[in-house]
Amino acid sequence: MIVVARPYFTSQQLHELRVYKSVVIQSHIRGWFARTQAKRLRTEKEETTREMKMQESRRQEEHEKKRQKEIERRTHPRTTQDFTTLYNELETWRLQETKKIKESSMTKEEKQLSLQELLKKETKLLQTIHKLQNAANKENKERRVKNFLESMTAHKKWGASGTTVETPFTVCAKQLMHLYNGLQLKGLTIDERLDILLPVKWAVKAFSCPLTREIVELVDREADILNRGRPSKSLEGQRQQLSNLFLQFIETPEFNPEAIHHQPVSLEYAIRPLVKLDTKR
């Protein structure tokens, strides 16, 4: 057996090999670190760009909502602040137009005519604002009444489990709410209207006081007028009065016990001569 000697690997060569392999390992590690950092920077940049776009989108949405709200406040004002803004803007416009007319080169007669036209425009705009204010007051009243009735008919929470239950008082309030909503319906036939008036009459007739007697009188009067074939338009004022009185009936705790929890003023400070029950003889 012949053994052939291989090339001799000196310590210097081993050292050089170690240095070379170390450089290779370091280059791979540094490359990995660089790729990791580059990925992190790209992710941060993408997140920053995405966040900036979202903020810009939110800013534009808020600006658009604010613009739409301002338009809505001027075209369909609802609150006192809305109408105050309209009146202030109208006054500012009037002062600007008056200043333009007075500082113009028109003759005295032409200025007088222009001021008269300006007064007509201002009057027309004031009439428009007043119409919007009346419509807003009516709508706000209807919304307050609706919220009031719904709050009385809401289910009660029972115990720690939050179980909702109906009580006799909430059931009574719900029945009265349905009667009130029926009185607000439009376009009914004579028979349908009478079907609504009769339960209202029997609901209030269980109590004897000036308020209930007035409601019964209005119900009987309307029924008599309907049976005579009179047009519904002639009954608008009377029906509005009936609705207001029946709403007052619903708001009275003596007739609707659930209403005691929704009184804006304590009963001991309220003057209520119409709901004073007659004393039994």
Side-chain angles (χ1 to χ4, degrees), residues 93-94 97-98 100-102 104 106-122:
W93 172 80
R94 185 189 67 82
E97 293 299 317
T98 303
K100 288 180 182 179
I101 294 173
K102 290 183 178 181
S104 65
M106 294 185 295
T107 62
K108 185 177 180 180
E109 291 77 9
E110 291 175 342
K111 289 182 179 180
Q112 189 67 24
L113 290 175
S114 299
L115 290 174
Q116 291 177 1
E117 290 296 326
L118 178 61
L119 180 60
K120 290 180 182 178
K121 292 180 180 179
E122 182 185 7

Side-chain angles (χ1 to χ4, degrees), residues 8-253:
Y8 184 73
F9 200 78
T10 64
S11 60
Q12 180 64 28
Q13 291 175 327
L14 179 61
H15 175 70
E16 292 175 354
L17 180 61
R18 287 174 175 172
V19 171
Y20 172 74
K21 295 298 183 180
S22 298
V23 171
V24 172
I25 292 173
Q26 289 179 3
S27 65
H28 284 288
I29 292 177
R30 289 173 180 173
W32 177 76
F33 279 134
R35 288 190 296 272
T36 303
Q37 186 176 8
K39 183 179 180 181
R40 180 178 59 81
L41 293 175
R42 283 194 300 268
T43 302
E44 291 178 356
K45 182 179 179 181
E46 291 174 357
E47 291 179 354
T48 302
T49 304
R50 184 167 56 254
E51 183 65 24
M52 291 177 62
K53 289 182 179 179
M54 292 177 62
Q55 291 179 358
E56 179 65 19
S57 177
R58 284 195 297 266
R59 188 188 65 81
Q60 291 180 357
E61 289 179 0
E62 291 175 358
H63 177 74
E64 182 63 21
K65 288 181 180 178
K66 185 177 180 180
R67 189 180 71 86
Q68 292 295 336
K69 184 178 180 181
E70 292 297 325
I71 295 175
E72 181 70 16
R73 287 179 62 186
R74 285 161 175 78
T75 55
H76 299 90
R78 290 293 175 265
T79 64
T80 303
Q81 184 179 0
D82 294 343
F83 287 102
T84 301
T85 302
L86 286 179
Y87 283 120
N88 291 339
E89 290 180 351
L90 178 60
E91 180 65 15
T92 302
W93 172 80
R94 185 189 67 82
L95 294 175
Q96 291 176 349
E97 293 299 317
T98 303
K99 183 178 180 182
K100 288 180 182 179
I101 294 173
K102 290 183 178 181
E103 293 179 353
S104 65
S105 59
M106 294 185 295
T107 62
K108 185 177 180 180
E109 291 77 9
E110 291 175 342
K111 289 182 179 180
Q112 189 67 24
L113 290 175
S114 299
L115 290 174
Q116 291 177 1
E117 290 296 326
L118 178 61
L119 180 60
K120 290 180 182 178
K121 292 180 180 179
E122 182 185 7
T123 303
K124 188 174 181 180
L125 290 173
L126 283 172
Q127 291 175 347
T128 302
I129 294 176
H130 289 161
K131 289 180 180 178
L132 292 173
Q133 197 164 14
N134 291 334
N137 290 337
K138 182 179 179 181
E139 183 178 340
N140 292 336
K141 180 183 177 182
E142 291 175 352
R143 183 169 59 252
R144 287 194 299 269
V145 170
K146 180 181 178 183
N147 293 337
F148 167 72
L149 295 177
E150 289 180 349
S151 63
M152 284 196 304
T153 60
H155 293 182
K156 303 293 183 180
K157 289 187 177 181
W158 184 267
S161 61
T163 304
T164 57
V165 297
E166 280 188 322
T167 66
F169 292 163
T170 59
V171 172
C172 175
K174 183 177 294 186
Q175 293 173 349
L176 294 175
M177 180 186 70
H178 290 329
L179 291 177
Y180 177 81
N181 292 336
L183 290 176
Q184 310 307 309
L185 297 177
K186 306 294 183 182
L188 300 179
T189 63
I190 295 178
D191 292 337
E192 290 173 341
R193 181 66 181 178
L194 292 176
D195 288 340
I196 294 174
L197 293 176
L198 186 59
V200 171
K201 178 179 177 179
W202 289 114
V204 302
K205 208 169 182 180
F207 307 93
S208 180
C209 69
L211 175 63
T212 57
R213 286 194 292 271
E214 188 172 358
I215 294 175
V216 171
E217 181 182 351
L218 287 175
V219 170
D220 292 339
R221 189 186 308 167
E222 181 177 346
D224 181 61
I225 293 175
L226 289 174
N227 289 326
R228 293 182 183 182
R230 295 290 299 276
S232 300
K233 190 173 182 180
S234 62
L235 294 169
E236 290 181 356
Q238 182 176 319
R239 288 177 174 177
Q240 184 62 45
Q241 183 183 4
L242 175 60
S243 296
N244 293 337
L245 291 177
F246 191 68
L247 178 61
Q248 187 176 348
F249 176 86
I250 296 175
E251 293 172 344
T252 305

